[in-house]
mmCIF file with all atom_site columns, all heavy atoms in Angstrom:
data_model
loop_
_atom_site.group_PDB
_atom_site.id
_atom_site.type_symbol
_atom_site.label_atom_id
_atom_site.label_alt_id
_atom_site.label_comp_id
_atom_site.label_asym_id
_atom_site.label_entity_id
_atom_site.label_seq_id
_atom_site.pdbx_PDB_ins_code
_atom_site.Cartn_x
_atom_site.Cartn_y
_atom_site.Cartn_z
_atom_site.occupancy
_atom_site.B_iso_or_equiv
_atom_site.pdbx_formal_charge
_atom_site.auth_seq_id
_atom_site.auth_comp_id
_atom_site.auth_asym_id
_atom_site.auth_atom_id
_atom_site.pdbx_PDB_model_num
ATOM 1   N N   . ILE B 1 26 ? -119.053 -23.895 -68.733 1.00 93.00 ? 36 ILE B N   1
ATOM 2   C CA  . ILE B 1 26 ? -118.263 -25.083 -68.420 1.00 93.00 ? 36 ILE B CA  1
ATOM 3   C C   . ILE B 1 26 ? -118.596 -25.512 -66.987 1.00 93.00 ? 36 ILE B C   1
ATOM 4   O O   . ILE B 1 26 ? -118.711 -24.665 -66.090 1.00 93.00 ? 36 ILE B O   1
ATOM 5   C CB  . ILE B 1 26 ? -116.769 -24.788 -68.588 1.00 93.00 ? 36 ILE B CB  1
ATOM 6   C CG1 . ILE B 1 26 ? -116.459 -24.536 -70.071 1.00 93.00 ? 36 ILE B CG1 1
ATOM 7   C CG2 . ILE B 1 26 ? -115.922 -25.927 -68.043 1.00 93.00 ? 36 ILE B CG2 1
ATOM 8   C CD1 . ILE B 1 26 ? -115.053 -24.063 -70.343 1.00 93.00 ? 36 ILE B CD1 1
ATOM 9   N N   . SER B 1 27 ? -118.751 -26.804 -66.811 1.00 91.00 ? 37 SER B N   1
ATOM 10  C CA  . SER B 1 27 ? -119.123 -27.333 -65.506 1.00 91.00 ? 37 SER B CA  1
ATOM 11  C C   . SER B 1 27 ? -118.138 -26.880 -64.427 1.00 91.00 ? 37 SER B C   1
ATOM 12  O O   . SER B 1 27 ? -116.917 -26.994 -64.585 1.00 91.00 ? 37 SER B O   1
ATOM 13  C CB  . SER B 1 27 ? -119.144 -28.867 -65.582 1.00 91.00 ? 37 SER B CB  1
ATOM 14  O OG  . SER B 1 27 ? -119.463 -29.418 -64.323 1.00 91.00 ? 37 SER B OG  1
ATOM 15  N N   . GLY B 1 28 ? -118.703 -26.341 -63.338 1.00 89.00 ? 38 GLY B N   1
ATOM 16  C CA  . GLY B 1 28 ? -117.859 -25.918 -62.224 1.00 89.00 ? 38 GLY B CA  1
ATOM 17  C C   . GLY B 1 28 ? -117.440 -24.451 -62.277 1.00 89.00 ? 38 GLY B C   1
ATOM 18  O O   . GLY B 1 28 ? -116.905 -23.922 -61.301 1.00 89.00 ? 38 GLY B O   1
ATOM 19  N N   . HIS B 1 29 ? -117.699 -23.795 -63.408 1.00 90.00 ? 39 HIS B N   1
ATOM 20  C CA  . HIS B 1 29 ? -117.347 -22.378 -63.520 1.00 90.00 ? 39 HIS B CA  1
ATOM 21  C C   . HIS B 1 29 ? -118.381 -21.529 -62.792 1.00 90.00 ? 39 HIS B C   1
ATOM 22  O O   . HIS B 1 29 ? -119.570 -21.609 -63.059 1.00 90.00 ? 39 HIS B O   1
ATOM 23  C CB  . HIS B 1 29 ? -117.258 -21.959 -64.987 1.00 90.00 ? 39 HIS B CB  1
ATOM 24  C CG  . HIS B 1 29 ? -115.977 -22.359 -65.638 1.00 90.00 ? 39 HIS B CG  1
ATOM 25  N ND1 . HIS B 1 29 ? -115.566 -21.838 -66.848 1.00 90.00 ? 39 HIS B ND1 1
ATOM 26  C CD2 . HIS B 1 29 ? -114.995 -23.203 -65.238 1.00 90.00 ? 39 HIS B CD2 1
ATOM 27  C CE1 . HIS B 1 29 ? -114.392 -22.348 -67.155 1.00 90.00 ? 39 HIS B CE1 1
ATOM 28  N NE2 . HIS B 1 29 ? -114.034 -23.191 -66.202 1.00 90.00 ? 39 HIS B NE2 1
ATOM 29  N N   . THR B 1 30 ? -117.880 -20.678 -61.877 1.00 89.00 ? 40 THR B N   1
ATOM 30  C CA  . THR B 1 30 ? -118.807 -19.882 -61.082 1.00 89.00 ? 40 THR B CA  1
ATOM 31  C C   . THR B 1 30 ? -119.118 -18.533 -61.717 1.00 89.00 ? 40 THR B C   1
ATOM 32  O O   . THR B 1 30 ? -120.127 -17.917 -61.409 1.00 89.00 ? 40 THR B O   1
ATOM 33  C CB  . THR B 1 30 ? -118.244 -19.644 -59.670 1.00 89.00 ? 40 THR B CB  1
ATOM 34  O OG1 . THR B 1 30 ? -117.036 -18.867 -59.777 1.00 89.00 ? 40 THR B OG1 1
ATOM 35  C CG2 . THR B 1 30 ? -117.930 -20.967 -58.980 1.00 89.00 ? 40 THR B CG2 1
ATOM 36  N N   . ALA B 1 31 ? -118.248 -18.054 -62.576 1.00 89.00 ? 41 ALA B N   1
ATOM 37  C CA  . ALA B 1 31 ? -118.458 -16.746 -63.202 1.00 89.00 ? 41 ALA B CA  1
ATOM 38  C C   . ALA B 1 31 ? -118.948 -16.932 -64.634 1.00 89.00 ? 41 ALA B C   1
ATOM 39  O O   . ALA B 1 31 ? -118.460 -17.806 -65.364 1.00 89.00 ? 41 ALA B O   1
ATOM 40  C CB  . ALA B 1 31 ? -117.168 -15.933 -63.187 1.00 89.00 ? 41 ALA B CB  1
ATOM 41  N N   . LEU B 1 32 ? -119.906 -16.100 -65.014 1.00 92.00 ? 42 LEU B N   1
ATOM 42  C CA  . LEU B 1 32 ? -120.492 -16.186 -66.356 1.00 92.00 ? 42 LEU B CA  1
ATOM 43  C C   . LEU B 1 32 ? -120.696 -14.771 -66.889 1.00 92.00 ? 42 LEU B C   1
ATOM 44  O O   . LEU B 1 32 ? -121.104 -13.875 -66.142 1.00 92.00 ? 42 LEU B O   1
ATOM 45  C CB  . LEU B 1 32 ? -121.831 -16.946 -66.284 1.00 92.00 ? 42 LEU B CB  1
ATOM 46  C CG  . LEU B 1 32 ? -122.540 -17.248 -67.611 1.00 92.00 ? 42 LEU B CG  1
ATOM 47  C CD1 . LEU B 1 32 ? -123.284 -18.588 -67.519 1.00 92.00 ? 42 LEU B CD1 1
ATOM 48  C CD2 . LEU B 1 32 ? -123.473 -16.138 -68.028 1.00 92.00 ? 42 LEU B CD2 1
ATOM 49  N N   . TYR B 1 33 ? -120.398 -14.585 -68.150 1.00 93.00 ? 43 TYR B N   1
ATOM 50  C CA  . TYR B 1 33 ? -120.401 -13.254 -68.762 1.00 93.00 ? 43 TYR B CA  1
ATOM 51  C C   . TYR B 1 33 ? -121.224 -13.272 -70.054 1.00 93.00 ? 43 TYR B C   1
ATOM 52  O O   . TYR B 1 33 ? -121.194 -14.252 -70.803 1.00 93.00 ? 43 TYR B O   1
ATOM 53  C CB  . TYR B 1 33 ? -118.970 -12.828 -69.121 1.00 93.00 ? 43 TYR B CB  1
ATOM 54  C CG  . TYR B 1 33 ? -117.930 -13.090 -68.048 1.00 93.00 ? 43 TYR B CG  1
ATOM 55  C CD1 . TYR B 1 33 ? -117.392 -14.353 -67.866 1.00 93.00 ? 43 TYR B CD1 1
ATOM 56  C CD2 . TYR B 1 33 ? -117.471 -12.059 -67.246 1.00 93.00 ? 43 TYR B CD2 1
ATOM 57  C CE1 . TYR B 1 33 ? -116.427 -14.600 -66.896 1.00 93.00 ? 43 TYR B CE1 1
ATOM 58  C CE2 . TYR B 1 33 ? -116.505 -12.285 -66.273 1.00 93.00 ? 43 TYR B CE2 1
ATOM 59  C CZ  . TYR B 1 33 ? -115.983 -13.556 -66.102 1.00 93.00 ? 43 TYR B CZ  1
ATOM 60  O OH  . TYR B 1 33 ? -115.033 -13.785 -65.132 1.00 93.00 ? 43 TYR B OH  1
ATOM 61  N N   . TRP B 1 34 ? -121.903 -12.167 -70.328 1.00 96.00 ? 44 TRP B N   1
ATOM 62  C CA  . TRP B 1 34 ? -122.588 -11.968 -71.609 1.00 96.00 ? 44 TRP B CA  1
ATOM 63  C C   . TRP B 1 34 ? -122.008 -10.734 -72.299 1.00 96.00 ? 44 TRP B C   1
ATOM 64  O O   . TRP B 1 34 ? -121.857 -9.669  -71.671 1.00 96.00 ? 44 TRP B O   1
ATOM 65  C CB  . TRP B 1 34 ? -124.083 -11.750 -71.399 1.00 96.00 ? 44 TRP B CB  1
ATOM 66  C CG  . TRP B 1 34 ? -124.891 -12.995 -71.127 1.00 96.00 ? 44 TRP B CG  1
ATOM 67  C CD1 . TRP B 1 34 ? -125.344 -13.439 -69.921 1.00 96.00 ? 44 TRP B CD1 1
ATOM 68  C CD2 . TRP B 1 34 ? -125.370 -13.929 -72.101 1.00 96.00 ? 44 TRP B CD2 1
ATOM 69  N NE1 . TRP B 1 34 ? -126.065 -14.596 -70.079 1.00 96.00 ? 44 TRP B NE1 1
ATOM 70  C CE2 . TRP B 1 34 ? -126.106 -14.917 -71.394 1.00 96.00 ? 44 TRP B CE2 1
ATOM 71  C CE3 . TRP B 1 34 ? -125.268 -14.036 -73.489 1.00 96.00 ? 44 TRP B CE3 1
ATOM 72  C CZ2 . TRP B 1 34 ? -126.720 -16.003 -72.045 1.00 96.00 ? 44 TRP B CZ2 1
ATOM 73  C CZ3 . TRP B 1 34 ? -125.886 -15.107 -74.123 1.00 96.00 ? 44 TRP B CZ3 1
ATOM 74  C CH2 . TRP B 1 34 ? -126.595 -16.068 -73.401 1.00 96.00 ? 44 TRP B CH2 1
ATOM 75  N N   . TYR B 1 35 ? -121.728 -10.906 -73.593 1.00 95.00 ? 45 TYR B N   1
ATOM 76  C CA  . TYR B 1 35 ? -121.263 -9.815  -74.425 1.00 95.00 ? 45 TYR B CA  1
ATOM 77  C C   . TYR B 1 35 ? -122.091 -9.778  -75.705 1.00 95.00 ? 45 TYR B C   1
ATOM 78  O O   . TYR B 1 35 ? -122.671 -10.788 -76.119 1.00 95.00 ? 45 TYR B O   1
ATOM 79  C CB  . TYR B 1 35 ? -119.781 -9.994  -74.803 1.00 95.00 ? 45 TYR B CB  1
ATOM 80  C CG  . TYR B 1 35 ? -118.833 -9.706  -73.685 1.00 95.00 ? 45 TYR B CG  1
ATOM 81  C CD1 . TYR B 1 35 ? -118.533 -10.675 -72.732 1.00 95.00 ? 45 TYR B CD1 1
ATOM 82  C CD2 . TYR B 1 35 ? -118.234 -8.455  -73.561 1.00 95.00 ? 45 TYR B CD2 1
ATOM 83  C CE1 . TYR B 1 35 ? -117.676 -10.402 -71.684 1.00 95.00 ? 45 TYR B CE1 1
ATOM 84  C CE2 . TYR B 1 35 ? -117.368 -8.168  -72.512 1.00 95.00 ? 45 TYR B CE2 1
ATOM 85  C CZ  . TYR B 1 35 ? -117.098 -9.147  -71.591 1.00 95.00 ? 45 TYR B CZ  1
ATOM 86  O OH  . TYR B 1 35 ? -116.248 -8.868  -70.554 1.00 95.00 ? 45 TYR B OH  1
ATOM 87  N N   . ARG B 1 36 ? -122.109 -8.618  -76.350 1.00 95.00 ? 46 ARG B N   1
ATOM 88  C CA  . ARG B 1 36 ? -122.789 -8.468  -77.631 1.00 95.00 ? 46 ARG B CA  1
ATOM 89  C C   . ARG B 1 36 ? -121.773 -7.957  -78.651 1.00 95.00 ? 46 ARG B C   1
ATOM 90  O O   . ARG B 1 36 ? -120.989 -7.046  -78.356 1.00 95.00 ? 46 ARG B O   1
ATOM 91  C CB  . ARG B 1 36 ? -123.952 -7.478  -77.501 1.00 95.00 ? 46 ARG B CB  1
ATOM 92  C CG  . ARG B 1 36 ? -124.692 -7.235  -78.794 1.00 95.00 ? 46 ARG B CG  1
ATOM 93  C CD  . ARG B 1 36 ? -125.980 -6.476  -78.564 1.00 95.00 ? 46 ARG B CD  1
ATOM 94  N NE  . ARG B 1 36 ? -125.782 -5.076  -78.240 1.00 95.00 ? 46 ARG B NE  1
ATOM 95  C CZ  . ARG B 1 36 ? -126.784 -4.198  -78.142 1.00 95.00 ? 46 ARG B CZ  1
ATOM 96  N NH1 . ARG B 1 36 ? -128.030 -4.609  -78.321 1.00 95.00 ? 46 ARG B NH1 1
ATOM 97  N NH2 . ARG B 1 36 ? -126.534 -2.952  -77.835 1.00 95.00 ? 46 ARG B NH2 1
ATOM 98  N N   . GLN B 1 37 ? -121.814 -8.557  -79.823 1.00 93.00 ? 47 GLN B N   1
ATOM 99  C CA  . GLN B 1 37 ? -120.905 -8.158  -80.896 1.00 93.00 ? 47 GLN B CA  1
ATOM 100 C C   . GLN B 1 37 ? -121.730 -7.808  -82.126 1.00 93.00 ? 47 GLN B C   1
ATOM 101 O O   . GLN B 1 37 ? -122.272 -8.687  -82.786 1.00 93.00 ? 47 GLN B O   1
ATOM 102 C CB  . GLN B 1 37 ? -119.912 -9.278  -81.217 1.00 93.00 ? 47 GLN B CB  1
ATOM 103 C CG  . GLN B 1 37 ? -118.864 -8.891  -82.235 1.00 93.00 ? 47 GLN B CG  1
ATOM 104 C CD  . GLN B 1 37 ? -117.843 -10.003 -82.459 1.00 93.00 ? 47 GLN B CD  1
ATOM 105 O OE1 . GLN B 1 37 ? -118.068 -11.164 -82.140 1.00 93.00 ? 47 GLN B OE1 1
ATOM 106 N NE2 . GLN B 1 37 ? -116.691 -9.640  -83.010 1.00 93.00 ? 47 GLN B NE2 1
ATOM 107 N N   . SER B 1 38 ? -121.829 -6.518  -82.402 1.00 89.00 ? 48 SER B N   1
ATOM 108 C CA  . SER B 1 38 ? -122.546 -6.067  -83.583 1.00 89.00 ? 48 SER B CA  1
ATOM 109 C C   . SER B 1 38 ? -121.604 -6.087  -84.775 1.00 89.00 ? 48 SER B C   1
ATOM 110 O O   . SER B 1 38 ? -120.378 -6.053  -84.617 1.00 89.00 ? 48 SER B O   1
ATOM 111 C CB  . SER B 1 38 ? -123.103 -4.657  -83.369 1.00 89.00 ? 48 SER B CB  1
ATOM 112 O OG  . SER B 1 38 ? -123.962 -4.638  -82.249 1.00 89.00 ? 48 SER B OG  1
ATOM 113 N N   . LEU B 1 39 ? -122.172 -6.113  -85.973 1.00 81.00 ? 49 LEU B N   1
ATOM 114 C CA  . LEU B 1 39 ? -121.375 -6.217  -87.188 1.00 81.00 ? 49 LEU B CA  1
ATOM 115 C C   . LEU B 1 39 ? -120.356 -5.094  -87.248 1.00 81.00 ? 49 LEU B C   1
ATOM 116 O O   . LEU B 1 39 ? -120.691 -3.919  -87.139 1.00 81.00 ? 49 LEU B O   1
ATOM 117 C CB  . LEU B 1 39 ? -122.297 -6.164  -88.412 1.00 81.00 ? 49 LEU B CB  1
ATOM 118 C CG  . LEU B 1 39 ? -121.621 -6.437  -89.758 1.00 81.00 ? 49 LEU B CG  1
ATOM 119 C CD1 . LEU B 1 39 ? -121.074 -7.864  -89.784 1.00 81.00 ? 49 LEU B CD1 1
ATOM 120 C CD2 . LEU B 1 39 ? -122.600 -6.214  -90.900 1.00 81.00 ? 49 LEU B CD2 1
ATOM 121 N N   . GLY B 1 40 ? -119.080 -5.469  -87.400 1.00 71.00 ? 50 GLY B N   1
ATOM 122 C CA  . GLY B 1 40 ? -118.020 -4.476  -87.519 1.00 71.00 ? 50 GLY B CA  1
ATOM 123 C C   . GLY B 1 40 ? -117.635 -3.795  -86.223 1.00 71.00 ? 50 GLY B C   1
ATOM 124 O O   . GLY B 1 40 ? -116.835 -2.865  -86.236 1.00 71.00 ? 50 GLY B O   1
ATOM 125 N N   . GLN B 1 41 ? -118.188 -4.263  -85.131 1.00 75.00 ? 51 GLN B N   1
ATOM 126 C CA  . GLN B 1 41 ? -117.905 -3.640  -83.838 1.00 75.00 ? 51 GLN B CA  1
ATOM 127 C C   . GLN B 1 41 ? -117.164 -4.617  -82.934 1.00 75.00 ? 51 GLN B C   1
ATOM 128 O O   . GLN B 1 41 ? -117.135 -5.814  -83.173 1.00 75.00 ? 51 GLN B O   1
ATOM 129 C CB  . GLN B 1 41 ? -119.220 -3.222  -83.158 1.00 75.00 ? 51 GLN B CB  1
ATOM 130 C CG  . GLN B 1 41 ? -120.059 -2.268  -83.960 1.00 75.00 ? 51 GLN B CG  1
ATOM 131 C CD  . GLN B 1 41 ? -119.416 -0.918  -84.114 1.00 75.00 ? 51 GLN B CD  1
ATOM 132 O OE1 . GLN B 1 41 ? -118.872 -0.354  -83.153 1.00 75.00 ? 51 GLN B OE1 1
ATOM 133 N NE2 . GLN B 1 41 ? -119.439 -0.376  -85.319 1.00 75.00 ? 51 GLN B NE2 1
ATOM 134 N N   . GLY B 1 42 ? -116.610 -4.052  -81.880 1.00 81.00 ? 52 GLY B N   1
ATOM 135 C CA  . GLY B 1 42 ? -115.988 -4.902  -80.872 1.00 81.00 ? 52 GLY B CA  1
ATOM 136 C C   . GLY B 1 42 ? -117.033 -5.519  -79.971 1.00 81.00 ? 52 GLY B C   1
ATOM 137 O O   . GLY B 1 42 ? -118.235 -5.407  -80.220 1.00 81.00 ? 52 GLY B O   1
ATOM 138 N N   . LEU B 1 43 ? -116.582 -6.146  -78.937 1.00 89.00 ? 53 LEU B N   1
ATOM 139 C CA  . LEU B 1 43 ? -117.494 -6.783  -77.996 1.00 89.00 ? 53 LEU B CA  1
ATOM 140 C C   . LEU B 1 43 ? -117.937 -5.773  -76.957 1.00 89.00 ? 53 LEU B C   1
ATOM 141 O O   . LEU B 1 43 ? -117.130 -5.084  -76.357 1.00 89.00 ? 53 LEU B O   1
ATOM 142 C CB  . LEU B 1 43 ? -116.816 -7.971  -77.312 1.00 89.00 ? 53 LEU B CB  1
ATOM 143 C CG  . LEU B 1 43 ? -116.858 -9.281  -78.071 1.00 89.00 ? 53 LEU B CG  1
ATOM 144 C CD1 . LEU B 1 43 ? -115.939 -9.244  -79.278 1.00 89.00 ? 53 LEU B CD1 1
ATOM 145 C CD2 . LEU B 1 43 ? -116.507 -10.431 -77.155 1.00 89.00 ? 53 LEU B CD2 1
ATOM 146 N N   . GLU B 1 44 ? -119.237 -5.753  -76.751 1.00 91.00 ? 54 GLU B N   1
ATOM 147 C CA  . GLU B 1 44 ? -119.840 -4.832  -75.801 1.00 91.00 ? 54 GLU B CA  1
ATOM 148 C C   . GLU B 1 44 ? -120.286 -5.624  -74.578 1.00 91.00 ? 54 GLU B C   1
ATOM 149 O O   . GLU B 1 44 ? -121.079 -6.553  -74.695 1.00 91.00 ? 54 GLU B O   1
ATOM 150 C CB  . GLU B 1 44 ? -121.032 -4.155  -76.475 1.00 91.00 ? 54 GLU B CB  1
ATOM 151 C CG  . GLU B 1 44 ? -121.863 -3.266  -75.593 1.00 91.00 ? 54 GLU B CG  1
ATOM 152 C CD  . GLU B 1 44 ? -123.136 -2.811  -76.297 1.00 91.00 ? 54 GLU B CD  1
ATOM 153 O OE1 . GLU B 1 44 ? -123.463 -3.351  -77.376 1.00 91.00 ? 54 GLU B OE1 1
ATOM 154 O OE2 . GLU B 1 44 ? -123.817 -1.929  -75.748 1.00 91.00 ? 54 GLU B OE2 1
ATOM 155 N N   . PHE B 1 45 ? -119.780 -5.254  -73.415 1.00 91.00 ? 55 PHE B N   1
ATOM 156 C CA  . PHE B 1 45 ? -120.138 -5.939  -72.174 1.00 91.00 ? 55 PHE B CA  1
ATOM 157 C C   . PHE B 1 45 ? -121.613 -5.715  -71.862 1.00 91.00 ? 55 PHE B C   1
ATOM 158 O O   . PHE B 1 45 ? -122.120 -4.588  -71.958 1.00 91.00 ? 55 PHE B O   1
ATOM 159 C CB  . PHE B 1 45 ? -119.281 -5.398  -71.037 1.00 91.00 ? 55 PHE B CB  1
ATOM 160 C CG  . PHE B 1 45 ? -119.715 -5.837  -69.669 1.00 91.00 ? 55 PHE B CG  1
ATOM 161 C CD1 . PHE B 1 45 ? -119.354 -7.071  -69.173 1.00 91.00 ? 55 PHE B CD1 1
ATOM 162 C CD2 . PHE B 1 45 ? -120.499 -4.999  -68.877 1.00 91.00 ? 55 PHE B CD2 1
ATOM 163 C CE1 . PHE B 1 45 ? -119.750 -7.470  -67.903 1.00 91.00 ? 55 PHE B CE1 1
ATOM 164 C CE2 . PHE B 1 45 ? -120.901 -5.384  -67.614 1.00 91.00 ? 55 PHE B CE2 1
ATOM 165 C CZ  . PHE B 1 45 ? -120.523 -6.622  -67.124 1.00 91.00 ? 55 PHE B CZ  1
ATOM 166 N N   . LEU B 1 46 ? -122.298 -6.772  -71.479 1.00 94.00 ? 56 LEU B N   1
ATOM 167 C CA  . LEU B 1 46 ? -123.694 -6.661  -71.081 1.00 94.00 ? 56 LEU B CA  1
ATOM 168 C C   . LEU B 1 46 ? -123.861 -6.861  -69.581 1.00 94.00 ? 56 LEU B C   1
ATOM 169 O O   . LEU B 1 46 ? -124.383 -6.002  -68.881 1.00 94.00 ? 56 LEU B O   1
ATOM 170 C CB  . LEU B 1 46 ? -124.556 -7.682  -71.839 1.00 94.00 ? 56 LEU B CB  1
ATOM 171 C CG  . LEU B 1 46 ? -124.606 -7.536  -73.364 1.00 94.00 ? 56 LEU B CG  1
ATOM 172 C CD1 . LEU B 1 46 ? -125.462 -8.638  -73.974 1.00 94.00 ? 56 LEU B CD1 1
ATOM 173 C CD2 . LEU B 1 46 ? -125.142 -6.168  -73.760 1.00 94.00 ? 56 LEU B CD2 1
ATOM 174 N N   . ILE B 1 47 ? -123.413 -8.016  -69.078 1.00 94.00 ? 57 ILE B N   1
ATOM 175 C CA  . ILE B 1 47 ? -123.658 -8.367  -67.689 1.00 94.00 ? 57 ILE B CA  1
ATOM 176 C C   . ILE B 1 47 ? -122.739 -9.509  -67.312 1.00 94.00 ? 57 ILE B C   1
ATOM 177 O O   . ILE B 1 47 ? -122.302 -10.275 -68.178 1.00 94.00 ? 57 ILE B O   1
ATOM 178 C CB  . ILE B 1 47 ? -125.140 -8.780  -67.499 1.00 94.00 ? 57 ILE B CB  1
ATOM 179 C CG1 . ILE B 1 47 ? -125.500 -8.993  -66.018 1.00 94.00 ? 57 ILE B CG1 1
ATOM 180 C CG2 . ILE B 1 47 ? -125.468 -10.023 -68.305 1.00 94.00 ? 57 ILE B CG2 1
ATOM 181 C CD1 . ILE B 1 47 ? -126.998 -9.197  -65.786 1.00 94.00 ? 57 ILE B CD1 1
ATOM 182 N N   . TYR B 1 48 ? -122.417 -9.618  -66.020 1.00 90.00 ? 58 TYR B N   1
ATOM 183 C CA  . TYR B 1 48 ? -121.745 -10.833 -65.587 1.00 90.00 ? 58 TYR B CA  1
ATOM 184 C C   . TYR B 1 48 ? -122.345 -11.326 -64.283 1.00 90.00 ? 58 TYR B C   1
ATOM 185 O O   . TYR B 1 48 ? -122.923 -10.546 -63.520 1.00 90.00 ? 58 TYR B O   1
ATOM 186 C CB  . TYR B 1 48 ? -120.231 -10.653 -65.493 1.00 90.00 ? 58 TYR B CB  1
ATOM 187 C CG  . TYR B 1 48 ? -119.693 -10.055 -64.208 1.00 90.00 ? 58 TYR B CG  1
ATOM 188 C CD1 . TYR B 1 48 ? -119.360 -10.867 -63.122 1.00 90.00 ? 58 TYR B CD1 1
ATOM 189 C CD2 . TYR B 1 48 ? -119.470 -8.690  -64.118 1.00 90.00 ? 58 TYR B CD2 1
ATOM 190 C CE1 . TYR B 1 48 ? -118.844 -10.314 -61.974 1.00 90.00 ? 58 TYR B CE1 1
ATOM 191 C CE2 . TYR B 1 48 ? -118.954 -8.141  -62.968 1.00 90.00 ? 58 TYR B CE2 1
ATOM 192 C CZ  . TYR B 1 48 ? -118.636 -8.945  -61.892 1.00 90.00 ? 58 TYR B CZ  1
ATOM 193 O OH  . TYR B 1 48 ? -118.125 -8.398  -60.752 1.00 90.00 ? 58 TYR B OH  1
ATOM 194 N N   . PHE B 1 49 ? -122.217 -12.607 -64.067 1.00 91.00 ? 59 PHE B N   1
ATOM 195 C CA  . PHE B 1 49 ? -122.722 -13.276 -62.873 1.00 91.00 ? 59 PHE B CA  1
ATOM 196 C C   . PHE B 1 49 ? -121.571 -13.897 -62.104 1.00 91.00 ? 59 PHE B C   1
ATOM 197 O O   . PHE B 1 49 ? -120.644 -14.456 -62.678 1.00 91.00 ? 59 PHE B O   1
ATOM 198 C CB  . PHE B 1 49 ? -123.691 -14.415 -63.257 1.00 91.00 ? 59 PHE B CB  1
ATOM 199 C CG  . PHE B 1 49 ? -124.997 -13.949 -63.836 1.00 91.00 ? 59 PHE B CG  1
ATOM 200 C CD1 . PHE B 1 49 ? -125.135 -13.746 -65.196 1.00 91.00 ? 59 PHE B CD1 1
ATOM 201 C CD2 . PHE B 1 49 ? -126.090 -13.717 -63.010 1.00 91.00 ? 59 PHE B CD2 1
ATOM 202 C CE1 . PHE B 1 49 ? -126.338 -13.325 -65.734 1.00 91.00 ? 59 PHE B CE1 1
ATOM 203 C CE2 . PHE B 1 49 ? -127.298 -13.299 -63.537 1.00 91.00 ? 59 PHE B CE2 1
ATOM 204 C CZ  . PHE B 1 49 ? -127.425 -13.092 -64.903 1.00 91.00 ? 59 PHE B CZ  1
ATOM 205 N N   . GLN B 1 50 ? -121.662 -13.773 -60.792 1.00 89.00 ? 60 GLN B N   1
ATOM 206 C CA  . GLN B 1 50 ? -120.826 -14.554 -59.903 1.00 89.00 ? 60 GLN B CA  1
ATOM 207 C C   . GLN B 1 50 ? -121.804 -15.432 -59.118 1.00 89.00 ? 60 GLN B C   1
ATOM 208 O O   . GLN B 1 50 ? -122.565 -14.926 -58.288 1.00 89.00 ? 60 GLN B O   1
ATOM 209 C CB  . GLN B 1 50 ? -120.006 -13.658 -58.975 1.00 89.00 ? 60 GLN B CB  1
ATOM 210 C CG  . GLN B 1 50 ? -119.113 -14.424 -58.034 1.00 89.00 ? 60 GLN B CG  1
ATOM 211 C CD  . GLN B 1 50 ? -118.115 -15.321 -58.764 1.00 89.00 ? 60 GLN B CD  1
ATOM 212 O OE1 . GLN B 1 50 ? -117.508 -14.930 -59.751 1.00 89.00 ? 60 GLN B OE1 1
ATOM 213 N NE2 . GLN B 1 50 ? -117.976 -16.538 -58.274 1.00 89.00 ? 60 GLN B NE2 1
ATOM 214 N N   . GLY B 1 51 ? -121.780 -16.708 -59.382 1.00 90.00 ? 61 GLY B N   1
ATOM 215 C CA  . GLY B 1 51 ? -122.849 -17.556 -58.870 1.00 90.00 ? 61 GLY B CA  1
ATOM 216 C C   . GLY B 1 51 ? -124.152 -17.139 -59.540 1.00 90.00 ? 61 GLY B C   1
ATOM 217 O O   . GLY B 1 51 ? -124.198 -16.961 -60.763 1.00 90.00 ? 61 GLY B O   1
ATOM 218 N N   . ASN B 1 52 ? -125.186 -16.958 -58.741 1.00 92.00 ? 62 ASN B N   1
ATOM 219 C CA  . ASN B 1 52 ? -126.479 -16.561 -59.286 1.00 92.00 ? 62 ASN B CA  1
ATOM 220 C C   . ASN B 1 52 ? -126.716 -15.056 -59.233 1.00 92.00 ? 62 ASN B C   1
ATOM 221 O O   . ASN B 1 52 ? -127.751 -14.583 -59.701 1.00 92.00 ? 62 ASN B O   1
ATOM 222 C CB  . ASN B 1 52 ? -127.615 -17.260 -58.536 1.00 92.00 ? 62 ASN B CB  1
ATOM 223 C CG  . ASN B 1 52 ? -127.645 -18.755 -58.820 1.00 92.00 ? 62 ASN B CG  1
ATOM 224 O OD1 . ASN B 1 52 ? -127.187 -19.207 -59.865 1.00 92.00 ? 62 ASN B OD1 1
ATOM 225 N ND2 . ASN B 1 52 ? -128.171 -19.526 -57.885 1.00 92.00 ? 62 ASN B ND2 1
#
Side-chain angles (χ1 to χ4, degrees):
Chain B
I36 293 173
S37 178
H39 281 194
T40 64
L42 185 147
Y43 315 80
W44 282 101
Y45 285 84
R46 179 169 73 173
Q47 185 176 19
S48 302
L49 187 63
Q51 302 293 316
L53 276 72
E54 174 189 11
F55 170 82
L56 298 178
I57 187 171
Y58 84 89
F59 291 89
Q60 180 59 43
N62 291 334

